[in-house]
Amino acid sequence: MNVPGTVSEVDGFKTNAGDFDALSSECCGKKIIVANFLPLQAQNDIKSGRWSFSFDEDSLLLQMKDGIASDTDVVYVGSLKVDVDPSEQDEVSGRLLKEFNCVPTFLPPDLQKYFYHGFCKQYLWSLFHYMLPMFPDYGNRFDRFLWQAYLSANKIFADKIMELLRQQPELQGKVVLVQILNPARSNGKDVQEARREIYQSTQRINDVFGCPGYEPVVLIDGRVPFYEKTAYYACAECCIVNAVRDGMNLVPYKYIVCRQGTSKMDEALQIAAGSPRMSMLVVSEFIGCSPSLSGAIRVNPWNVDAVADALNMAITMPDVEKQLRHEKHYRYVSSHDVAYWARSFMQDLERACKEHYRKNCWGFGFGMSFRILSLSPSFRHLSVGDIISAHGRTCRRAIFLDYDGTVVPHSSIPKSPSPEVILVLNILCRDPKNTVFIVSGRGQNSLSDWFAQCENIGIAAEHGCFIRWSRTSEWETIPVAADFGWKRIAEPVMKLYTEATDGSYIETKESSLVWHHQDAYPDFGSRQAKELLDHLESVLANEPVVVKRGRQIVEVKPQGVTKGLVTEKILSTMTSNGKPPDFVLCIGDDRSDEDMFESISNAAYISSLPVPPEIFACTVGQKPSKARYYLDDTIDVLKLLKSLAAASSSTTSTSHTKTEVSFESCA
Ligand SMILES: O=P(O)(O)OC[C@H]1O[C@H](O[C@H]2O[C@H](CO)[C@@H](O)[C@H](O)[C@H]2O)[C@H](O)[C@@H](O)[C@@H]1O
């Protein structure tokens, strides 16, 4: 049913001849008859090479017209029975539409063969005649290739019909597209090809839809003087800028200003002063000015149908709306002039660089790997002297040490701590004024095995999901969502990346999953890690987890578990046990350790203590960090810890046996 009507009346056969006439007069307009072949005969004159066409008076399709109201515009869509060279197809299309109301589909000869003689005759025909399509020529029962040919042919037909249903007959003769081809800045093969395509499209459109005195597309190829462009902008009811990529194209802004006009222009064009101004913009969503033109119709330039709809909408929009959109754009363009852009750019630049002026900068690397590192001037090496004198002034010390990259080098093959580290930590733990914690992303089992000889050391495993105050105390668990169903989502994704990245592997911990790429090819591994992070973030968006990057790892762990929370918990427990810390040392090398640095420097917590503690947040390696201090590497860390241990050992209360510390013995 292609006309509005009352279904019940038609169903109930209440319509009489009069009703039918009324209906059919409503239906009249355009009828499109689609058939495999057009009702035409074609001949090619061998001498001139020119085609001549005539109606095939015997064609049933042509005779169908007799049953259709005479004032109906009947258009035929179908193929010609002859092959027309592609170079002649545009011209032939124009002629057939004008002279015969026919739209040729021009299927390539092979496609015609496979679609018609192949799929239609071998398969469809058999099926419609209650037979199985079993033809020795085509071997298998079902040949996908023929099916694809059938689809391609149908697509060509459908596109032609859509062209008819859409390039709005009432606008024919009224709308003109002025296409200005600004000179290209280069002269490559692609420029030549684009120009050739534009010329061909222009000619095709003008052949089909033009008539004497009317060219729907006017092509201006070459530089157009400024005053002339101004004139074009001033009289254009709509401006389209639909580049597939662009920087900051100013044409839309210029167009709006030209449509607003000046008193001189009004005078020349005899426009009454104060009369309403209108403009319409169709812009590509991929061009720089697109976000600033809120009244423009934004299009994806690759979507030809959407561009056509947008142009139609722009042209046919009610004047009041065109006026409102113009006013809005004109207000924006007049207030956001070049001076405004320069001013706001300078403000942004100053804001972005505000901190840089206060920082020391170093350049690293060459070429594309050149980087500038800016560090605060107060960021300095943690000197043994400073820490020892603070040690001497304090008696409730909290010491937080990360594991990998802090007390054990990343390059170390045995991952367990050296005997020297164990000895130093034992001495530090023996001092009752010290509370020492290893805070690591590693699991409980590895850490408790490695520190089995350190009776009094505290361990926070898996970023603090599990905490133990000493070897004999129970593990405490931070309450996190008990449902680890997210692992079933994350693991297959990680497996995909593991398969694609040689050398990578997955580590499964109790509360988290880690993808390691330390042994993968470095650049590729890092790129894969970035992609995996995005991928995991999107698939886990609704799960109670966070996805974090660490040193050569991508880790998925429960929300709310951070090393920062560990330090917060331990410091507040010390405070509530009547031992508010007066010395806090925290050393770590990785991103997860930054949470600890932030948490121990938390102003609210510090001000809640009776006396502000001496705080030493220290990163390993000189790099941007929330820490105020740095140590160079794990050797430097051990050196500092040895000095602290020596200081602790010499001040251990008289009730304890004084220990003579000699580190050389276990070096
Ligand atoms: O908090 P940390 O003590 O620094 O531990 C963080 C991660 O340590 C482990 O990964 C690190 O060591 C791996 C093996 O040497 C190495 O491949 C990776 O690049 C390092 O980040 C551990 O496997 C992770 O679970 C921890 O989160």
Side-chain angles (χ1 to χ4, degrees), residues 440-444 461-466 480-488 490-491 494 505-516 536 540 544-548 553-559 561-562:
S440 170
R442 295 260 179 193
Q444 305 163 69
E462 300 202 17
H463 300 286
C465 208
F466 308 99
V480 286
D483 179 11
F484 285 98
W486 58 265
K487 284 191 179 177
R488 285 196 296 277
E491 200 168 10
M494 283 191 177
Y505 65 94
I506 301 170
E507 177 191 1
T508 306
K509 295 192 275 189
E510 200 164 323
S511 68
S512 64
L513 280 180
V514 190
W515 186 76
H516 287 255
L536 287 170
L540 296 170
V545 289
V546 286
V547 190
K548 293 273 177 191
I553 56 174
V554 175
E555 183 157 12
V556 186
K557 59 178 185 174
Q559 259 167 13
V561 174
T562 69

Side-chain angles (χ1 to χ4, degrees), residues 379 382 584-587 596-598 600-601 615-619 625-630:
F379 184 67
L382 181 55
V584 184
L585 168 67
C586 175
I587 314 178
M596 292 201 276
F597 304 147
E598 196 172 16
I600 62 168
S601 317
I615 292 173
F616 299 92
C618 176
T619 187
S625 168
K626 286 175 186 148
R628 190 166 167 206
Y629 301 94
Y630 69 87

Side-chain angles (χ1 to χ4, degrees), residues 382 384 387 587 631 636-644:
L382 181 55
V384 170
I387 207 95
I587 314 178
L631 288 168
D636 212 10
V637 175
L638 191 57
K639 194 173 131 207
L640 183 111
L641 294 179
K642 276 181 192 174
S643 313
L644 259 185

Side-chain angles (χ1 to χ4, degrees), residues 402 404 415 440-441 507 509 516 518 551-552 555 563:
D402 165 51
D404 286 272
K415 289 297 163 197
S440 170
E507 177 191 1
K509 295 192 275 189
H516 287 255
Q518 186 174 26
R551 195 189 165 276
Q552 321 269 33
E555 183 157 12
K563 289 186 178 181

